[in-house]
Structures are given as C-alpha cells and as structure tokens.
Amino acid sequence: MNTRYKSKINLLVRDWPKGTVGTQRWLSSRSISRSLAQRYCISGWIERLGQGAYQLAGDKPGWMGAVYALQSQLEFKLHVGAQTALELQNYRQHVPQNKGQPTWLLKSVKEKRSLPKWFSTCFMKTNNVHCMTRSLFDDDSLSLELLKVGNYELIVSTPERAVLEYLNLVPNHFSFEQAQFLIEGMMTLRPALLQLLLEHCTSIKAKRLFLVLAEHEGHPWWSELNVKKLVLGKSNLTIGKGGYYYPHYHISLPVSLGTHEGYSNNDESLP
C-alpha cells in the first residue's frame, strides 16, 4: 500500500467514531471509493457488514452506532423514540421493564425510503428493533434533540415527546397499567413543552390518555397546562376492554384510577 493510501486509512481510522457503522456514502465523502474500500477490507483495516456498510476491523457496532449512520450519514428522517428515548435519557427507573423489550425507532411519514438491508440483517432482529412510521404531530420535527452517546450523537425524542409516543402505543404494544406506572414517575416534565406538543399532537387517544393520567397523578406541571386550548374530540374512546368511564375526557379505561378529578369508586359515572 503506497503512502497516499496509508495516509487515507490513518485519517479514516482516526476520524471513525468507535462503535459506529461507516456507510459508503460517508466513505465517498472522504474520497474513498468502493474499490478502495474493498482494498481496505482485503488489507484487514475495515470489515464489510453488507452492501454499502462497513465497520472498523475488530469493532462491533451496536444498534445505536448503526442508527447514527442512518441519521448522520444517510440522513434518514427517523429518531429514537418512546420507551427507548426515555431509557437513554436516564428515565429507566420510571419505565416499566419487560423481558426482550423492543428498541423503538420512529420514522417520519416524509421518509419514503426503506431501511438498508445491512441494517435489517445485522441489527434489527438481534436488537429487537421496531421501526414504525407514525404521524403523531403535525410538525414531525417537533421536540427532537441531539443526545450524546459516547463519542457521537443520536437524534432522540425529548422526554415530553417520548411520553406521548409511548401512550400512542397503548394498548397494542404497552398495557394501560404500564402507561399508568410511566406517568406516575414523570414528575419533572416541562409544562411549556408539554403544552406545545399537546397542541400539535394529532392523536386524540394519546392526548386524552395523557390528560386523564396526568390529572390523576397531579404532578406540579399539571396545573400549568391549558387543557381548554386542546382539540380532544367528543366521541367516546375505549382503551383496551374499557370498563371504567371518565366522562370529562370521554374515555373508558380498563382499570379504575380511584379518586380522580373529584370522582370516587362510588361515583355513579363509574360502572
């Protein structure tokens, strides 16, 4: 290998964030063609993961390093959301834990591309990655932020957005009891950001479920929300099998919340 190629590989190894995937697009931006990347593979500097994707020799990227490549190198409109975003931001103690719980990626409805085959093959099944396309907000980029993970950054939901994403997955992916446990621990959410998200949220279910649980818990931020500004609809909504009706939000829940907004278990509005 001549001096020029040695210089290129030295710079590549130096600048390649440990634990991440390097895509051919990223390599090409560094003047490393497919043929040169193949030579680096033969020389043992890098290893091929699949078409258009590599790892440094001896390195073993996890799902976060792969998502980093999707976001920053391939510019996929997707983010880490729901339960996974909360866990990454140190809310793990408040998030119900299940065996084999999925890693949640949420893809924008504006993103029409399918995930690369190398990602599906090498990371989705192994890490139980669920990638869903959901239009939860009229502005899909609302309340996303960069989170430093090791020596790189991921685009993730803020805790406030992640909570609404979580509730939107009830009851198909999370139970009502898990949702109740989650909201019980969310004492430090930011009311101004919650208000903004609720006003732009397109899911009646997520909004009503959030409000009925938040009001029941009575966290300090609850009193700062302006519920009158929210579009909540008027038709009755049932979560799971329902059974306990809360008329203020036109919602039936599978579990009684007990004392809630002046209602008690003996209230005639409850079955």
Side-chain angles (χ1 to χ4, degrees):
M1 188 177 292
N2 65 33
T3 303
R4 177 169 167 247
Y5 288 158
K6 283 183 179 179
S7 176
K8 277 191 176 183
I9 192 61
N10 288 337
L11 289 173
L12 181 66
V13 171
R14 184 197 68 185
D15 296 340
W16 195 318
K18 187 177 180 181
T20 67
V21 173
T23 64
Q24 184 57 55
R25 177 187 289 188
W26 180 64
L27 294 178
S28 296
S29 72
R30 305 177 66 83
S31 301
I32 298 173
S33 64
R34 290 182 184 275
S35 60
L36 183 53
Q38 181 61 27
R39 291 181 63 178
Y40 288 160
C41 286
I42 295 171
S43 300
W45 287 100
I46 64 176
E47 299 168 348
R48 190 173 183 269
L49 286 171
Q51 184 175 357
Y54 304 87
Q55 65 185 23
L56 283 172
D59 199 8
K60 296 295 179 186
W63 70 266
M64 288 188 285
V67 170
Y68 164 79
L70 295 178
Q71 293 178 339
S72 67
Q73 298 175 20
L74 299 181
E75 299 179 334
F76 266 82
K77 294 181 177 67
L78 59 76
H79 65 276
V80 181
Q83 178 176 356
T84 310
L86 290 169
E87 290 176 344
L88 289 180
Q89 296 174 86
N90 300 317
Y91 285 87
R92 183 177 295 273
Q93 68 272 28
H94 303 305
V95 179
Q97 300 295 315
N98 290 332
K99 268 190 174 182
Q101 58 195 3
T103 296
W104 291 97
L105 300 181
L106 301 177
K107 190 165 71 164
S108 169
V109 293
K110 298 176 182 178
E111 181 55 77
K112 305 303 181 183
R113 293 174 292 174
S114 298
L115 294 176
K117 188 175 180 180
W118 60 262
F119 183 80
S120 304
T121 302
C122 299
F123 297 98
M124 291 196 73
K125 187 175 181 180
T126 305
N127 297 278
N128 195 16
V129 174
H130 286 205
C131 186
M132 306 181 72
T133 301
R134 290 290 172 94
S135 179
L136 188 56
F137 302 94
D138 54 26
D139 179 355
D140 213 29
S141 63
L142 195 64
S143 200
L144 297 176
E145 62 185 5
L146 288 173
L147 178 69
K148 191 165 182 60
V149 180
N151 55 349
Y152 57 91
E153 293 179 322
L154 292 178
I155 302 171
V156 305
S157 296
T158 62
E160 292 78 10
R161 174 170 177 149
V163 165
L164 290 173
E165 291 170 340
Y166 187 106
L167 296 180
N168 194 46
L169 297 171
V170 175
N172 292 335
H173 298 281
F174 301 112
S175 70
F176 171 78
E177 291 82 359
Q178 289 174 313
Q180 188 176 10
F181 179 83
L182 175 70
I183 298 300
E184 182 181 348
M186 295 290 106
M187 299 182 64
T188 58
L189 299 181
R190 293 163 288 186
L193 186 52
L194 279 174
Q195 183 72 37
L196 178 67
L197 287 164
L198 288 167
E199 289 180 17
H200 287 271
C201 183
T202 59
S203 169
I204 297 296
K205 178 187 76 173
K207 287 188 285 190
R208 288 196 205 173
L209 186 53
F210 173 81
L211 292 171
V212 74
L213 290 174
E215 187 174 58
H216 173 66
E217 296 301 333
H219 291 318
W221 43 261
W222 165 253
S223 61
E224 297 187 48
L225 297 180
N226 187 349
V227 179
K228 292 181 180 180
K229 293 183 69 175
L230 306 180
V231 177
L232 299 173
K234 295 182 179 180
S235 60
N236 291 333
L237 176 64
T238 299
I239 302 296
K241 295 181 179 179
Y244 296 89
Y245 183 60
Y246 295 88
H248 189 67
Y249 297 111
H250 306 287
I251 191 170
S252 291
L253 305 176
V255 174
S256 172
L257 294 177
T259 302
H260 168 68
E261 199 199 9
Y263 303 129
S264 72
N265 286 334
N266 296 322
D267 195 288
E268 62 182 9
S269 65
L270 301 176

